[in-house]
Amino acid sequence: MPTIALVRLRWKIESEKGTSEMSNLNTQTNSAGDSSVELLRVSTCGSVDDGKSTLIGRLLHDTKNVSDDQLLHVEDVSRRRGDQQVNLALLTDGLRAEREQGITIDVAHRYFATSRRRFIVADTPGHAQYTRNMVTGASTSELAIVLVDARKGLVEQSRRHAALAALLGIPQLVFAVNKMDLVEWREDVFRNLEHDLAQFASQLGVKGALVIPLSALSGDNVVERGSHSSWYSGPSLLEHLETVSLAQGFDNSGLRLPVQWVVRPQVSSGDLHDFRGYAGQLAGGILRPGDRVTVLPSGLTTRVSRVETFDGPMESAFAPLSVTVHLEHNIDVSRGDMLCHPHDKPQQGQLLDAMLSWMSQKPLLPGARLALKHTTRWVRATVSKLDYCLDVNTLQQTAGIGELVANDIGRVKIHTTLPLFYDAYSANRNTGSFILVDEATNDTVAAGMLLPPVLS
């Protein structure tokens, strides 16, 4: 009972926090004009002291998304610290340890909006010790901003974070060359860095990475174009964020509906007596009444009679909407099952090939037994083999390893007790990802990205 009580308390706190933050976002959106503008999820990453928190603070400040009391508090703290000017990093570094050390430890999410787009920005830690925090913070992002100190260039942790962003399949990558004011806005310094960054992005397989010179401290090229870089003809950072094409985080080529809940009201009168629905969040594709669907793992096929949300029936639904589906036939469907089109089924199997980001201080050894959560399905799993560890700095693969330690990225083989219904992570980030949980401690110890099955 104490464990259940703690779980419920944590859920309540997180739910209230999420509701408050989304309410704040909606308020900001409405003040910007249009509550229907698109949402872009952004993560900032890079080495420690490259200015990630200051950059986000500058975005919030210059887009007028900071309340008067927040600004007064930051000004007061800056004055008491003896800072020569307002330290905008204090708008994001909320933990006491972060403010004392001047670093980011946990992932901080900030919400703001302009008249053209809404934004959720994840400020991820720069220290190698907190790489796992960066992975979790960036996993849902559609665009990653990798900060690079103009004086230091592409250092180890910047390379690490850029490699992880590419590995996580983040569609858009921006290199923000910060602190250009400390190199006197020299064009030759920027051009050399621009060449090196473009070359590294090419090695990662990232196409069209943008490189922007800026100063988060003074604000040049962050929201407005600065006067010190007349040689730069590209957009400011905010201009790019407002206009970049939004790649879909879901694969719309194939229907994927993991069943989260079977809706069966316990009422014996009226229409509710015959009500049976299957609720879940669409992870891919489009669903319409009349569509033929196959239920996995049973393989039974039927038709969709109705698709509805809280607001009522829909003629069509698409990812990532949460819906309740009604089927023509009363077939056996349970939580963890998946609905798909008969002609376009996901992969199905118990032997999985995956890239794993290991997060636990306890090393991962071959033969480890863990719980695996994939979409809405829980299974038990055994890590049967460690293929190699990836050096994210050099992109070299080290084979013959005996363990993965905290913050390692490695390729592994996993055997599950029940089959999963999945796509490769490169095709669908929702059905291609999973987490591993230590059942003894209930700690999430790894995040995984599924690879296409190896054909024998």
Side-chain angles (χ1 to χ4, degrees):
M1 288 302 294
T3 302
I4 296 175
L6 286 173
V7 169
R8 287 177 176 169
L9 177 60
R10 181 178 179 184
W11 177 87
K12 183 176 185 294
I13 293 172
E14 291 179 348
S15 298
E16 291 174 350
K17 178 182 178 184
T19 302
S20 173
E21 289 174 334
M22 288 310 297
S23 175
N24 184 41
L25 177 59
N26 290 334
T27 300
Q28 294 168 344
T29 302
N30 291 334
S31 67
D34 186 2
S35 61
S36 65
V37 293
E38 296 175 311
L39 172 65
L40 177 65
R41 297 177 182 272
V42 181
S43 63
T44 58
C45 44
S47 186
V48 65
D49 290 333
D50 280 352
K52 297 181 296 299
S53 298
T54 303
L55 177 64
I56 297 177
R58 175 61 63 183
L59 279 169
L60 294 172
H61 179 270
D62 289 6
T63 56
K64 307 297 188 292
N65 279 274
V66 180
S67 63
D68 291 340
D69 58 335
Q70 284 179 307
L71 188 57
L72 286 172
H73 175 69
V74 169
E75 289 174 349
D76 181 59
V77 174
S78 299
R79 184 166 50 252
R80 286 189 280 111
R81 286 161 48 109
D83 297 329
Q84 294 182 349
Q85 61 187 84
V86 177
N87 187 349
L88 296 177
L90 297 175
L91 290 169
T92 53
D93 286 339
L95 298 178
R96 178 179 296 179
E98 293 177 327
R99 295 190 173 190
E100 289 175 348
Q101 300 178 55
I103 63 172
T104 299
I105 296 174
D106 199 3
V107 178
H109 289 87
R110 292 295 177 264
Y111 306 81
F112 74 99
T114 67
S115 60
R116 304 182 69 175
R117 189 166 279 176
R118 295 176 294 151
F119 303 93
I120 299 177
V121 184
D123 181 21
T124 64
H127 275 270
Q129 179 182 352
Y130 305 113
T131 298
R132 60 187 180 274
N133 297 36
M134 178 270 171
V135 171
T136 56
S139 61
T140 59
S141 297
E142 298 156 300
L143 183 145
I145 303 172
V146 180
L147 272 82
V148 177
D149 190 322
R151 302 167 300 172
K152 303 175 183 177
L154 193 59
V155 297
E156 177 179 341
Q157 193 66 352
S158 299
R159 296 172 66 90
R160 181 190 301 272
H161 281 187
L164 288 171
L167 185 64
L168 289 167
I170 298 176
Q172 305 284 348
L173 186 62
V174 176
F175 289 103
V177 180
N178 192 24
K179 304 186 181 182
M180 283 295 298
D181 52 316
L182 299 183
V183 294
E184 299 177 343
W185 290 94
R186 288 172 49 190
E187 181 180 4
D188 60 320
V189 172
F190 174 74
R191 296 304 178 192
N192 289 335
L193 279 173
E194 185 180 38
H195 176 268
D196 293 344
L197 294 170
Q199 190 174 44
F200 185 62
S202 178
Q203 292 175 351
L204 296 174
V206 176
K207 297 180 180 179
L210 180 66
V211 186
I212 302 176
L214 55 82
S215 170
L217 190 64
S218 65
D220 289 66
N221 292 342
V222 178
V223 171
E224 302 290 343
R225 294 289 303 274
S227 59
H228 298 92
S229 55
S230 56
W231 40 263
Y232 173 69
S233 58
S236 70
L237 178 61
L238 182 64
E239 287 173 356
H240 181 66
L241 295 180
E242 288 184 320
T243 58
V244 66
S245 175
L246 292 186
Q248 291 293 329
F250 304 86
D251 181 10
N252 284 320
S253 64
L255 171 65
R256 303 290 185 264
L257 178 60
V259 176
Q260 182 177 1
W261 196 259
V262 178
V263 184
R264 181 67 169 166
Q266 300 298 312
V267 179
S268 58
S269 62
D271 295 337
L272 289 179
H273 178 69
D274 297 323
F275 187 98
R276 186 191 299 270
Y278 308 100
Q281 183 182 38
L282 281 162
I286 301 174
L287 187 64
R288 302 179 180 89
D291 284 354
R292 286 174 57 83
V293 292
T294 295
V295 180
L296 299 176
S298 69
L300 297 174
T301 299
T302 183
R303 287 188 183 275
V304 175
S305 61
R306 190 159 83 246
V307 179
E308 59 186 3
T309 66
F310 180 81
D311 297 321
M314 301 188 69
E315 294 184 1
S316 63
F318 50 87
L321 285 177
S322 295
V323 297
T324 297
V325 178
H326 301 260
L327 304 177
E328 285 188 355
H329 302 94
N330 288 328
I331 58 180
D332 184 17
V333 182
S334 303
R335 176 183 170 89
D337 292 355
M338 181 176 287
L339 274 60
C340 63
H341 286 143
H343 60 275
D344 188 2
K345 299 178 183 178
Q347 299 291 334
Q348 181 173 338
Q350 293 176 255
L351 184 59
L352 309 174
D353 197 10
M355 295 298 296
L356 205 65
S357 174
W358 188 250
M359 303 176 180
S360 174
Q361 296 299 324
K362 180 182 177 181
L364 172 65
L365 303 175
R369 297 182 179 181
L370 300 159
L372 185 152
K373 185 179 187 297
H374 172 258
T375 62
T376 59
R377 193 171 180 83
W378 280 96
V379 298
R380 286 187 168 85
T382 301
V383 180
S384 56
K385 183 182 178 183
L386 307 181
D387 289 334
Y388 62 77
C389 183
L390 177 69
D391 187 331
V392 294
N393 303 307
T394 64
L395 306 182
Q396 297 298 311
Q397 301 170 1
T398 304
I401 58 172
E403 63 181 17
L404 290 180
V405 298
N407 299 320
D408 274 352
I409 306 289
R411 183 166 177 167
V412 301
K413 296 287 192 304
I414 297 176
H415 190 272
T416 60
T417 54
L418 294 172
L420 299 186
F421 320 113
Y422 67 95
D423 300 281
Y425 184 83
S426 57
N428 189 313
R429 291 170 73 181
N430 262 15
T431 58
S433 60
F434 63 91
I435 60 171
L436 293 176
V437 176
D438 185 337
E439 291 186 282
T441 62
N442 206 33
D443 289 339
T444 300
V445 294
M449 293 151 279
L450 291 162
L451 301 171
V454 178
L455 300 177
S456 56

